[in-house]
Amino acid sequence: MKHGGDLTQAMAEFGGAPDQWLDLSTGINPWPWPIPANLPSHLWERLPTRADEQSLLSAARSAYHVPDNVDVVAAAGTQALIQWLPHLAAPGAVAVVGPTYNEHVAAWRAGGHEVGVIGSLSALPDHAKHVVIVNPNNPDGRIAKRDELADVAAILQRRGGWLVIDEAFADVDPAISVAGLCATLPVAILRSFGKFYGLAGVRLGFALAAPLIAQRIATAIGPWACSGPAQVIGAAALRDERWATQTRVALVAQGIKLDNVLADAGFEIVGGTPLYRLARHADALKWHAALARQQIWCRHFDWSHELLRFGLPPDAAALSRLAAALAK
Amino acid sequence: MKHGGDLTQAMAEFGGAPDQWLDLSTGINPWPWPIPANLPSHLWERLPTRADEQSLLSAARSAYHVPDNVDVVAAAGTQALIQWLPHLAAPGAVAVVGPTYNEHVAAWRAGGHEVGVIGSLSALPDHAKHVVIVNPNNPDGRIAKRDELADVAAILQRRGGWLVIDEAFADVDPAISVAGLCATLPVAILRSFGKFYGLAGVRLGFALAAPLIAQRIATAIGPWACSGPAQVIGAAALRDERWATQTRVALVAQGIKLDNVLADAGFEIVGGTPLYRLARHADALKWHAALARQQIWCRHFDWSHELLRFGLPPDAAALSRLAAALAK
């Protein structure tokens, strides 16, 4: 399975209607930021305006603690940025810290770069011009230290390359973000809106980078990249500090409950973030199929037959349903 | 002014709140397809699914009369496709038929191509590998004949190039579209959803092309390009043939009323489509400013001081307001 979050495959293989499924295959917050009921119709009708874009960028700057000398670019999801970066970076080999989210390797290869996967930043090959790291990593949740990232970025700067840091799951703890590094180093940071705010269907994401890199990204993305509703929903959600603070606590608490359910079923929790947990079991693939037959969809991986990733069940009933399914 | 449809500049220069302005600066249908009041919340929350994407592509295939052997790719607006095409086409010189929508020249230049503007397809230079034409053209409404387009595409095929046809305003008359050419020729057609359906804020557009070209575009665009709401709104609107048929008639009728108002004020109608009219006046720039002081925003052009483009006033009151402003 290439990605989580799409029940099309699950239903084709195991049947069931969408509302019968408990989808734990993503790292998307199950408690979305509440979108106002009546969005003004002009958001759909008119072209997105520069004023709304500026408001969105300003909200992102504040939410992501972006220093003044670092620029922010908005796109219709970080995936759109992942697609572009390999075409904007200098030619040269790329080291991706993995295993990780598989679209990075795919995009840099499609962009004509030689791509190798390394186990950690300390294994940086001499010939690598660019490095891509997901931080915290998906699926294991590993967090790279700021000093380590700064050291690698300084090495890549001498090589004329970029350090791309995908902070898709960094909202769970603002201390993880290294946005400050962009000011003086060739670092491009990706921030996903949809995961922490539980609004993946909105398609909104950001790049944070020094002005020269950010300008190159903005020129590639072009005008009107984000929908009118995405601009306004994004700006309002990113300004809602109270919601973010409460959500961080709630996610951690739900993650602990999920860990307990998995541990009771004989899984070993080996990593994750508050938005998903990575669990090991000798019979992981059997469990994936057994859960799917009970219309519970979690994530397995091509590169391990012992690991499953579970997103957060949205409520006590879903936790119980998972526990019951694992008890069979 | 680089683009229409953004009152940010108009308000900065001439004051007034958004709802005081009559915005005639775009070619966007002022009577949008009616979006259902209560979109299911999961469209915002979950990742867009392959099932919804297939439904959208199938609706586009039907609405745009796409032959079976031609593929359809969806993107978050045709602008996103305009940004990508120069990076996917073979290196080589590009001839853009102009004057026209200015983002084509900008995108191909940014993509590293040598770009020249030609007055018509018959002026195709020997060294041009690719051609871009907007059909019907924006702003003059000129329509290229199918045979002429086929001949140019055949020439470009021998040169290893592409013919890009931006059919952004072709919905007003389905006979304009040359989607059939894509089957055997290196033709990439762009179809904008937002203009005819009056929903520019949704960000939705399509590329129609032979499988090899379409696959290259789809790989570049990547997964989840369109928002969940865009997928579902787009599919429903594109399947609404009755609305499309009625809208075509209504746009033509309103265009005639607009022509009469402009002619009464001494403008000569020199072109356009049912979604906008191109009008000539020796004092066009003075009129642009005079209308702006009365909070009416139309479009002027860098390359002519005698032409203004007017989008359709949405109702009789707006027509009267324009007539009164032009009578001062």
Side-chain angles (χ1 to χ4, degrees), chain A residues 51-135:
Chain A
D52 280 346
E53 184 176 32
Q54 285 309 313
S55 169
L56 172 66
L57 295 177
S58 156
R61 182 174 286 284
S62 171
Y64 300 143
H65 305 285
V66 182
D68 285 346
N69 49 357
V70 173
D71 280 355
V72 183
V73 182
T78 45
Q79 185 64 40
L81 296 161
I82 290 172
Q83 300 291 132
W84 266 114
L85 288 176
H87 295 261
L88 307 177
V94 183
V96 176
V97 182
T100 190
Y101 178 61
N102 51 27
E103 292 293 336
H104 290 291
V105 168
W108 288 86
R109 285 216 173 111
H113 297 262
E114 179 201 327
V115 181
V117 176
I118 57 177
S120 74
L121 286 177
S122 59
L124 179 69
D126 290 342
H127 73 289
K129 182 170 249 176
H130 309 289
V131 169
V132 179
I133 184 168
V134 181
N135 196 44

Side-chain angles (χ1 to χ4, degrees), chain A residues 48 53 56 73-84 191-195 199-207 217 221-228 230-231, chain B residues 47-48 75-77 80 201-204 221-228 230:
Chain A
E53 184 176 32
L56 172 66
V73 182
T78 45
Q79 185 64 40
L81 296 161
I82 290 172
Q83 300 291 132
W84 266 114
R191 297 292 307 225
S192 167
F193 173 75
K195 295 173 182 74
L199 296 170
V202 169
R203 308 314 296 141
L204 182 62
F206 301 91
I217 297 171
I221 292 286
W224 314 298
C226 305
S227 74
Q231 284 184 334
Chain B
L47 277 169
V202 168
R203 308 314 297 139
L204 182 62
I221 292 286
W224 314 299
C226 305
S227 74

Side-chain angles (χ1 to χ4, degrees), chain A residues 2-96:
Chain A
K2 197 176 168 198
H3 294 113
D6 191 338
L7 290 170
T8 309
Q9 184 199 335
M11 292 186 293
E13 206 171 331
F14 297 95
D19 58 3
Q20 294 176 297
W21 279 87
L22 173 60
D23 185 4
L24 305 178
S25 70
T26 79
I28 298 166
N29 177 358
W31 308 308
W33 184 82
I35 296 179
N38 293 307
L39 290 173
S41 61
H42 71 79
L43 295 179
W44 300 106
E45 293 160 12
R46 299 183 199 155
L47 278 168
T49 66
R50 276 168 291 176
D52 280 346
E53 184 176 32
Q54 285 309 313
S55 169
L56 172 66
L57 295 177
S58 156
R61 182 174 286 284
S62 171
Y64 300 143
H65 305 285
V66 182
D68 285 346
N69 49 357
V70 173
D71 280 355
V72 183
V73 182
T78 45
Q79 185 64 40
L81 296 161
I82 290 172
Q83 300 291 132
W84 266 114
L85 288 176
H87 295 261
L88 307 177
V94 183
V96 176

